[in-house]
Amino acid sequence: MNSEWYMDAVIYALHVKTFFDGNGDGIGDFAGLTLKLDYLASLGVTCLWLLPFCESPLRDDGYDVAHYERVDPRYGSLADFRRFLDAAHARGLRVVTELVLNHTSDAHPWFQAARRAPAGSSKRNFYVWSDTDRRYAGARVIFRDAETSNWAWDPIARAYYWHRFFSHQPDLNFDNPRVRRAVIKVMRFWLDAGVDGLRLDAVSHLYEREGTSCDNLPETHEYLRELRRIVDGHYGDRVLIAEVNQSPAVTRSYFGEGDECHICFHFPLVPRILAALRRGEASGIADVVRTTADVPAGCQWAVFLRNHDDVSLSAETAAERDFLLASYAPDSRMRLNQGIRRRLAPLVGNDRRRIELAFALLFSLPGTPVIYYGDEIGMGDNVALPDRDGLRTPMQWTADATGGFTTGAVSPIVPPPIDDPEFGYQTVNVAAQSLGDGARDDASASRRASLGASIARMIHTRRKHRAFGRGTIEFLDVRNPHLLAFVRRTADESILVVANLSDAVQLVACDGLPPVERHLAPAAGEPAGTDANGSISMQPISCQWFEISSLRSLTPA
Ligand code: GLC
Ligand code: CA
């Protein structure tokens, strides 16, 4: 087994419900997803992250779990899941699934039993109850567009229960040892089923303590160390991934001393990339990467441009949040809970150069990149749909009805396919773009030139160079605020990355750069040229990767 495989992984996030329908009932399913594994393998991704697929009333797209050990029958059976997993593994694709441990659906049998059990009993105390809605007032309300309090009244229990998210998602009570054991049993169920890792949803909110924000409590870290000991003791190379949307320093604490999660999502990077693209200035990216560069051995950030949620701005300063909202969410329908509910392509004005530049940075900054399904072909969103549904529409495979998602009619539980003139499946679809590395003889010129082909080429290039996944990072002082220049380096290779965030050609003075050995074509945009003095000339909104031989002439920033 490849040790620390996740360091070099390229992750692709998808919801089985919206990926591909295998049986014509209008709902994506495991049979359909299995049929699309060749597409995913040819794109070059190495690991799939499946959004929640357990039995659920789907009031939060499956993050409201009603049964942890059952596949929602609308997506298939556990046997279908296992067939999918085997087929993915046979192609060398790893599979990461969700462990939604902070809360359940109110439809979960644990909650139905708890609300009817005697007050004070262990059954009742699977959840967090109170006679008043005044406790833990220091905890912020996260879904502030939908909820006004973290407490909801239950008429059956005749008590308030605690919920950090929607009121139909009661929080489990981790002070109850039976809850801690029950969650471990669920974790082991999926690890025994063969998944390669688990994303720990909303993991910073497990415990409540008066006088605190009820986030990041020491008890939470203690429980994570317990989960990690089980993974290390019994499951070899499986990984735990923390979904923690806090400041860089707090998020970093979820690595522990290398004894908690293997991977943490790097939430602060997304707003920095968006701000840099808008201002044409690089410094914000370098600053956040520098402050998060130091992680314990064997730990890795997961970097991403977009995911299934809004672009969260909750950790931004008020001024920066206002700037990003004004720049990227001018229409109030694009906003949600202080964040921005849009996909990548529409965010950047469907500007091919900006999409590619963002991906080139994603693939070359430290961390394991995570691609949100459909972003690789430039899918759009639909702000007319509620909540985050507008960026959770079906994958667009072909120009046929429903974008080739289903042979039937799209089910009402699936958001309708995008069909506006700019982003509709009629124009934006996999069939119109090249699969794989773009070098196939049968790929037409236009498919080779497509966004999807560029993204696939970047992924394939990245996979040839371990420095992207494992290298150190050093920023270079190129004395130009529009340029970001850094070197990723392992003992065996060094790769120079230069990005031009501005709308104008920028020259990189050669005295600031190490000698270039080889241009790793292509990153994003037109190839770089050199002028008579050997300076590199960077096209507007572009990124280039170079192999370099020596670090002698570096001028570290
Ligand atoms: C996480 C998920 C989000 C969900 C929330 C509550 O933040 O990413 O989609 O709504 O948890 O489960
Ligand atoms: Ca189906």
Side-chain angles (χ1 to χ4, degrees):
M1 279 271 178
N2 171 12
S3 86
E4 299 181 347
W5 58 270
Y6 52 92
M7 301 294 254
D8 311 303
V10 178
I11 301 178
Y12 187 94
L14 66 93
H15 203 304
V16 62
K17 182 180 84 177
T18 51
F19 206 59
F20 187 60
D21 176 18
N23 66 357
D25 68 355
I27 303 172
D29 45 44
F30 279 106
L33 174 56
T34 308
L35 292 171
K36 294 301 185 185
L37 287 172
D38 287 338
Y39 166 71
L40 295 166
S42 67
L43 180 61
V45 301
T46 64
C47 178
L48 308 182
W49 154 25
L50 304 191
L51 298 167
F53 55 78
C54 288
E55 215 172 271
S56 162
L58 294 184
R59 296 175 69 190
D60 185 17
D61 218 5
Y63 286 100
D64 48 333
V65 176
H67 203 300
Y68 283 108
E69 297 177 7
R70 286 190 202 145
V71 170
D72 193 305
R74 291 169 285 194
Y75 312 144
S77 63
L78 195 55
D80 293 325
F81 171 78
R82 287 181 200 278
R83 266 190 293 275
F84 150 76
L85 189 62
D86 288 346
H89 284 163
R91 286 168 177 78
L93 290 167
R94 308 259 178 175
V95 176
V96 166
T97 61
E98 295 271 350
L99 183 58
V100 185
L101 72 173
N102 178 68
H103 47 265
T104 69
S105 163
D106 58 7
H108 196 291
W110 293 342
F111 187 74
Q112 292 304 323
R115 69 202 308 199
R116 293 181 173 86
S121 65
S122 177
K123 242 185 193 165
R124 168 72 70 101
N125 289 338
F126 250 62
Y127 296 84
V128 181
W129 300 95
S130 168
D131 294 335
T132 87
D133 59 359
R134 295 285 140 84
R135 288 168 72 202
Y136 311 137
R140 75 187 162 105
V141 172
I142 297 167
F143 285 170
R144 24 187 271 175
D145 288 354
E147 303 292 343
T148 52
S149 164
N150 288 320
W151 292 106
W153 176 253
D154 182 43
I156 295 178
R158 291 203 297 281
Y160 293 96
Y161 62 89
W162 181 247
H163 61 88
R164 289 307 300 273
F165 295 92
F166 290 120
S167 60
H168 57 75
Q169 288 166 315
D171 275 37
L172 286 165
N173 174 17
F174 281 81
D175 279 321
N176 183 341
R178 286 181 60 193
V179 167
R180 297 198 297 272
R181 283 198 297 273
V183 167
I184 288 170
K185 182 171 166 281
V186 172
M187 175 180 87
R188 299 197 65 156
F189 177 85
W190 289 103
L191 293 173
D192 288 336
V195 305
D196 299 288
L198 290 164
R199 171 186 178 275
L200 307 179
D201 181 63
V203 73
S204 57
H205 316 295
L206 301 189
Y207 286 84
E208 302 74 35
R209 293 291 180 264
E210 206 56 77
T212 74
S213 64
C214 299
D215 290 337
N216 320 309
L217 292 172
E219 293 84 349
T220 298
H221 290 285
E222 177 56 41
Y223 187 60
L224 283 175
R225 285 190 289 274
E226 184 176 355
L227 298 186
R228 177 63 182 264
R229 280 193 295 274
I230 296 169
V231 171
D232 287 350
H234 300 269
Y235 297 100
D237 63 351
R238 321 296 181 86
V239 297
L240 296 176
I241 306 178
E243 190 227 3
V244 175
N245 179 8
Q246 311 258 348
S247 69
V250 172
T251 303
R252 190 193 174 287
S253 70
Y254 285 81
F255 294 124
E257 303 296 324
D259 55 357
E260 295 186 27
C261 292
H262 303 76
I263 299 178
C264 294
F265 284 100
H266 197 313
F267 281 91
L269 181 62
V270 186
R272 294 285 70 74
I273 290 181
L274 290 177
L277 284 172
R278 177 55 56 132
R279 295 193 173 105
E281 279 179 23
S283 60
I285 297 176
D287 290 345
V288 75
V289 171
R290 267 199 209 92
T291 61
T292 52
D294 171 37
V295 298
C299 294
Q300 179 80 312
W301 294 107
V303 290
F304 58 98
L305 300 167
R306 289 297 301 110
N307 61 16
H308 61 293
D309 290 325
D310 49 296
V311 179
S312 171
L313 303 176
S314 59
E316 294 295 294
T317 63
E320 200 58 11
R321 182 159 53 233
D322 289 346
F323 167 74
L324 288 165
L325 286 172
S327 306
Y328 287 108
D331 178 337
S332 64
R333 291 177 306 169
M334 299 169 175
R335 303 179 183 190
L336 180 71
N337 299 321
Q338 290 192 308
I340 304 174
R341 49 183 204 127
R342 303 184 73 189
R343 268 187 181 268
L344 177 66
L347 268 177
V348 298
N350 204 15
D351 177 348
R352 171 79 178 264
R353 297 170 314 164
R354 285 186 165 77
I355 300 172
E356 288 193 22
L357 173 55
F359 270 109
L361 290 173
L362 180 76
F363 294 139
S364 50
L365 286 168
T368 291
V370 184
I371 301 166
Y372 184 52
Y373 82 96
D375 282 352
E376 78 278 20
I377 55 167
M379 266 173 61
D381 53 39
N382 180 354
V383 294
L385 297 177
D387 198 4
R388 292 147 292 176
D389 290 4
L391 43 96
R392 297 174 175 183
T393 60
M395 182 67 178
Q396 295 171 194
W397 297 103
T398 68
D400 301 335
T402 79
F405 163 69
T406 176
T407 54
V410 177
S411 157
I413 71 159
V414 175
I418 303 285
D419 71 356
D420 65 53
E422 189 175 9
F423 294 103
Y425 57 79
Q426 298 86 343
T427 33
V428 177
N429 63 66
V430 170
Q433 305 195 14
S434 179
L435 303 183
D437 61 11
R440 293 162 19 149
D441 295 338
D442 60 344
S444 72
S446 75
R447 289 169 76 214
R448 273 200 303 277
S450 68
L451 174 65
S454 294
I455 303 300
R457 271 193 301 267
M458 282 191 235
I459 296 172
H460 287 277
T461 304
R462 179 193 157 95
R463 285 180 55 186
K464 290 189 197 120
H465 299 278
R466 277 161 64 103
F468 286 121
R470 306 197 184 223
T472 55
I473 184 162
E474 291 164 72
F475 288 96
L476 307 186
D477 180 8
V478 287
R479 288 171 242 113
N480 179 335
H482 305 301
L483 295 174
L484 183 67
F486 55 88
V487 173
R488 303 297 315 278
R489 178 160 52 146
T490 61
D492 304 321
E493 63 178 354
S494 299
I495 292 173
L496 167 67
V497 177
V498 185
N500 176 8
L501 290 145
S502 81
D503 268 321
V505 171
Q506 302 289 334
L507 284 187
V508 197
C510 55
D511 66 342
L513 289 182
V516 167
E517 281 274 283
R518 191 162 75 89
H519 187 200
L520 291 182
E526 294 295 309
T530 44
D531 75 358
N533 306 320
S535 299
I536 300 177
S537 111
M538 292 289 299
Q539 294 299 316
I541 317 288
S542 69
C543 181
Q544 301 297 333
W545 297 340
F546 305 94
E547 247 175 333
I548 56 176
S549 54
S550 141
L551 292 178
R552 263 176 306 136
S553 51
L554 291 193
T555 329

